[in-house]
Amino acid sequence: MSSYALTVQAKAMALAQIGFGARFKTYRLTPMLQVQPGDLPILGVYILREQRREDSQANQGEPAFKHTLTLGFSGGVHVATDKQTDMPPIEEWMSELDDILLCDPSFIALTEGITAMDRIAQFAKVGETTLYEIRVEMAMEFSSRWEPRVPDMLEKVVVTTQFPDKEHVDSGTPQIERVYDIETTP
């Protein structure tokens, strides 16, 4: 993942923690492979994938990419077996995610646009705990450019002729040394 993708993820997590507060007991930046009942309710904010595609002509200047970043948000709560027909509060909580992220100018400024959002609800069994999970996938775009690190900006060229060599030093041909200052315009 790019460092910029990690910055977007961290900002999304910070806003989610402010927006949801203590409603979620546990917050994670990694996918929830294993959830303990004591962790619930839980919210994970993680990077599902990041795709890069060339944003200009290949080999026609500095590398430039258009990134598509997909962030995953996974909110989960325990649902007792006899209460599975009741609407868990996670439905309402996760619907607030749109307002928390999409109405925050500091989050939107990190992207060149939100291109898609998907919402999936499911029940899962974690040991003896029934988990109701809402997953939201948010796809966004941003660009990157990779300017070359040029150790010499070619501001001066020094030209020294090789002639005369040792055999012809007495022939009277002088060795020439010239310094050329090259003006650069920004």
Side-chain angles (χ1 to χ4, degrees):
M1 298 300 147
S2 67
S3 62
Y4 195 78
L6 296 171
T7 299
V8 173
Q9 177 195 27
K11 181 64 174 180
M13 175 59 90
L15 290 172
Q17 287 175 317
I18 293 167
F20 291 123
R23 285 186 273 178
F24 287 102
K25 182 177 181 183
T26 306
Y27 289 90
R28 286 192 184 167
L29 287 172
T30 58
M32 295 173 266
L33 300 176
Q34 187 173 12
V35 177
Q36 301 299 323
D39 295 336
L40 300 172
I42 189 168
L43 179 69
V45 179
Y46 47 91
I47 297 171
L48 292 175
R49 72 187 141 274
E50 179 183 12
Q51 298 169 309
R52 294 182 189 188
R53 64 186 182 282
E54 182 66 35
D55 194 30
S56 63
Q57 294 282 346
N59 288 331
Q60 297 288 322
E62 64 196 24
F65 295 98
K66 180 68 80 173
H67 299 250
T68 301
L69 172 67
T70 304
L71 282 183
F73 301 86
S74 177
V77 293
H78 168 69
V79 178
T81 305
D82 59 343
K83 305 263 187 192
Q84 291 183 11
T85 57
D86 298 341
M87 178 69 76
I90 192 77
E91 290 276 359
E92 183 180 321
W93 296 353
M94 292 301 283
S95 69
E96 292 176 34
L97 192 60
D98 295 354
D99 288 333
I100 290 171
L101 297 176
L102 301 180
C103 294
D104 188 284
S106 65
F107 181 73
I108 295 300
L110 295 175
T111 75
E112 292 174 7
I114 307 297
T115 59
M117 288 183 73
D118 293 322
R119 191 177 309 270
I120 304 160
Q122 68 181 12
F123 281 99
K125 199 83 161 145
V126 180
E128 296 299 315
T129 303
T130 305
L131 178 72
Y132 185 61
E133 178 185 29
I134 304 279
R135 291 183 184 173
V136 176
E137 292 183 12
M138 179 184 288
M140 59 196 66
E141 289 188 347
F142 61 90
S143 297
S144 66
R145 302 190 88 65
W146 303 88
E147 292 185 23
R149 294 185 183 119
V150 180
D152 181 1
M153 292 302 290
L154 195 61
E155 296 169 342
K156 182 190 304 190
V157 176
V158 178
V159 177
T160 306
T161 60
Q162 183 177 355
F163 191 79
D165 56 16
K166 289 181 182 177
E167 294 177 20
H168 300 92
V169 76
D170 295 328
S171 69
T173 305
Q175 184 176 31
I176 300 172
E177 184 172 300
R178 293 271 161 48
V179 177
Y180 298 93
D181 289 321
I182 299 174
E183 291 185 29
T184 57
T185 55

